Amino acid sequence: MIFSSKLIEDAVQEFSKLPGIGKKTALRMVLQLLKMQREEVEIFTGALARMRQEIRFCNTCHNVSDGETCAICANPGRDHSQVCVVENIRDVIAIESTRQYSGLYHVLGGILSPIDGIGPDQLYIETLHNRVKENGVEELIMALSPTIEGDTTVYYIARQLKDLPVRITTIARGIAFGGELEYADEMTLARSIAKRLPIENYVTVHNKV
Amino acid sequence: MIFSSKLIEDAVQEFSKLPGIGKKTALRMVLQLLKMQREEVEIFTGALARMRQEIRFCNTCHNVSDGETCAICANPGRDHSQVCVVENIRDVIAIESTRQYSGLYHVLGGILSPIDGIGPDQLYIETLHNRVKENGVEELIMALSPTIEGDTTVYYIARQLKDLPVRITTIARGIAFGGELEYADEMTLARSIAKRLPIENYVTVHNKV
């Protein structure tokens, strides 16, 4: 694409650095900014710049935070004896958005993946160990991807913590609500039969959701 | 979606004001900004803020411009006797990107559309009239949408300028390169047969593109 304005060209160039944004989409966004009032665009760019400048990571759980401790860890109304272990902050947002979980989190920053060069030292496993040891955590809920890497990470962490008095659970795997049995993969289907629940539990869970 | 950080929430909120960007895509972009270096994000937001603050519109052709006169109008190497009339700056970018046109432009700012309340006074038709009258423009190439509104606008402008010594042409309509005859609409197909070209012209155009 050829632009007669350097200002437009630079803005399009910058937008197309974002994931999944090609030149055409970038141009559409730039033209949208052009249509907006100057003050609105200042608010837009200000919010992005401030986010990147001021964002911090929680000292305790490594979630993104506006201060030293994130809003979740700082909330006395939450259950501090439960910690949900996740891969990244996107997972925290996903679980928070269900409004069904009231414990804390621990963001590992990834999962073990020898092929990508990610070993235990690249993840926040040591701080998890310290938290469990010092903060009276009673249950760790492992909410990692159901992949070989995810399972390996769960197994590794469980071994690291085996001498501590903490209960380790994993989130349930099974057929999704609204999912069709015939399209489920064999592994999921087999596991969901093996881990079947008494009907009373089903009704409770169903009504709660 | 529930965010534990106000900084993140604001940034996602701002991104989702852009066209075609939902909350999930906005979050993906915000997380991408988080992964980038602070300096890179400053360059990103700086380019967008500067674009909106400093962009101007060319006094002559109403294209976006970095100064009083746009780079195209200010270029003595271009053919100042030819002016291509387009609806908006997106069309200028599209035609410039073909690298085949070396004349100037005139951005109308829209097309006549009574249903949307857009009459001649909302468009830059008077400045076009003045340009033709005073700047020795020899040819106006009408490159507007092939719709009823576009055709009405062409017709209206042609009537306004009928006493001035300027040749008015429109861009060719026809079957697109790579287009399948059977999928072309009847109007386009009928017109492309009526406006058929001698084979020599075809070969020239084809080789040039």
Side-chain angles (χ1 to χ4, degrees):
Chain A
M1 266 193 253
I2 298 182
F3 306 95
S4 56
S5 153
K6 185 84 174 67
L7 290 166
I8 300 272
E9 185 172 359
D10 287 349
V12 169
Q13 182 65 37
E14 287 299 323
F15 257 126
S16 40
K17 286 182 185 169
L18 295 178
I21 304 294
K23 279 278 164 79
K24 286 209 169 177
T25 311
L27 176 61
R28 222 176 61 218
M29 290 181 176
V30 169
L31 295 180
Q32 176 69 16
L33 290 184
L34 257 187
K35 276 190 204 159
M36 285 160 61
Q37 295 296 317
R38 288 184 180 191
E39 295 71 37
E40 285 181 279
V41 175
E42 264 172 44
I43 293 172
F44 175 86
T45 55
L48 303 187
R50 202 168 48 250
M51 187 275 295
R52 187 63 192 86
Q53 283 300 326
E54 295 178 16
I55 201 84
R56 303 174 67 166
F57 291 90
C58 176
N59 278 345
T60 308
C61 74
H62 314 295
N63 185 18
V64 283
S65 172
D66 297 354
E68 280 204 3
T69 302
C70 76
I72 297 172
C73 286
N75 184 348
R78 298 190 71 125
D79 183 351
H80 285 237
S81 72
Q82 256 183 352
V83 170
C84 181
V85 178
V86 295
E87 195 177 327
N88 55 44
I89 58 174
R90 198 189 302 243
D91 297 334
V92 174
I93 295 170
I95 297 175
E96 281 298 284
S97 300
T98 68
R99 298 170 195 260
Q100 299 287 318
Y101 177 67
S102 62
L104 306 184
Y105 293 92
H106 191 86
V107 179
L108 288 178
I111 46 180
L112 292 177
S113 175
I115 209 168
D116 298 317
I118 301 180
D121 294 343
Q122 273 76 51
L123 305 180
Y124 290 117
I125 292 179
E126 203 184 316
T127 54
L128 176 63
H129 189 274
N130 295 343
R131 265 181 97 177
V132 171
K133 206 164 150 188
E134 289 158 23
N135 298 1
V137 175
E138 290 166 17
E139 181 179 4
L140 281 190
I141 302 169
M142 308 300 281
L144 302 180
S145 305
T147 57
I148 292 175
E149 289 85 2
D151 286 349
T152 307
T153 310
V154 169
Y155 182 71
Y156 181 86
I157 292 174
R159 276 195 48 165
Q160 292 289 308
L161 305 178
K162 71 177 188 303
D163 296 332
L164 297 174
V166 63
R167 194 156 72 94
I168 300 184
T169 57
T170 70
I171 55 170
R173 309 287 177 196
I175 308 297
F177 279 98
E180 302 266 7
L181 275 204
E182 58 179 317
Y183 299 122
D185 63 289
E186 291 170 16
M187 184 102 155
T188 303
L189 192 51
R191 244 169 111 166
S192 78
I193 292 173
K195 304 288 175 187
R196 64 197 178 279
L197 297 172
I199 189 82
E200 307 88 62
N201 291 23
Y202 175 75
V203 173
T204 322
V205 171
H206 204 11
N207 288 346
K208 206 176 166 194
V209 172
Chain B
M1 265 193 255
I2 298 182
F3 305 96
S4 56
S5 154
K6 184 85 175 64
L7 291 166
I8 300 272
E9 185 171 359
D10 288 349
V12 168
Q13 183 66 35
E14 287 299 321
F15 256 126
S16 41
K17 287 183 185 168
L18 295 179
I21 304 295
K23 279 278 166 79
K24 285 209 169 178
T25 313
L27 175 61
R28 223 175 62 219
M29 292 183 176
V30 169
L31 295 180
Q32 176 68 16
L33 290 184
L34 258 188
K35 276 189 205 162
M36 285 161 58
Q37 295 295 316
R38 288 185 180 190
E39 294 71 38
E40 285 180 278
V41 175
E42 263 172 44
I43 293 171
F44 174 86
T45 55
L48 303 186
R50 201 166 52 248
M51 188 274 297
R52 188 62 192 87
Q53 284 300 326
E54 295 179 14
I55 201 83
R56 303 174 66 166
F57 291 89
C58 176
N59 279 345
T60 308
C61 74
H62 314 295
N63 185 16
V64 283
S65 172
D66 296 354
E68 279 203 3
T69 302
C70 77
I72 297 173
C73 286
N75 183 350
R78 298 190 72 125
D79 183 351
H80 285 236
S81 73
Q82 257 183 352
V83 170
C84 181
V85 179
V86 294
E87 196 177 324
N88 55 44
I89 59 176
R90 198 188 303 243
D91 297 334
V92 173
I93 294 169
I95 298 175
E96 280 298 284
S97 299
T98 68
R99 297 171 196 260
Q100 299 288 319
Y101 176 67
S102 62
L104 307 184
Y105 293 92
H106 190 87
V107 178
L108 289 178
I111 48 179
L112 293 176
S113 175
I115 209 168
D116 298 317
I118 301 180
D121 294 344
Q122 273 76 52
L123 305 180
Y124 290 116
I125 291 179
E126 205 183 315
T127 54
L128 177 62
H129 189 275
N130 295 343
R131 267 181 96 178
V132 171
K133 207 163 152 189
E134 288 158 21
N135 298 2
V137 176
E138 289 167 17
E139 182 179 3
L140 282 189
I141 303 169
M142 309 299 282
L144 302 180
S145 305
T147 57
I148 293 177
E149 289 84 4
D151 286 350
T152 307
T153 311
V154 169
Y155 182 71
Y156 179 87
I157 293 175
R159 275 194 50 166
Q160 292 289 309
L161 304 178
K162 70 176 188 302
D163 295 331
L164 296 173
V166 63
R167 194 157 72 96
I168 301 183
T169 57
T170 70
I171 55 169
R173 309 287 178 197
I175 308 296
F177 279 97
E180 300 267 6
L181 274 204
E182 59 178 318
Y183 299 123
D185 64 289
E186 292 171 15
M187 184 102 156
T188 303
L189 191 51
R191 245 169 112 164
S192 79
I193 292 173
K195 303 289 178 189
R196 64 196 177 279
L197 297 173
I199 189 80
E200 308 89 60
N201 292 24
Y202 174 75
V203 172
T204 321
V205 171
H206 203 12
N207 288 347
K208 210 175 161 193
V209 171

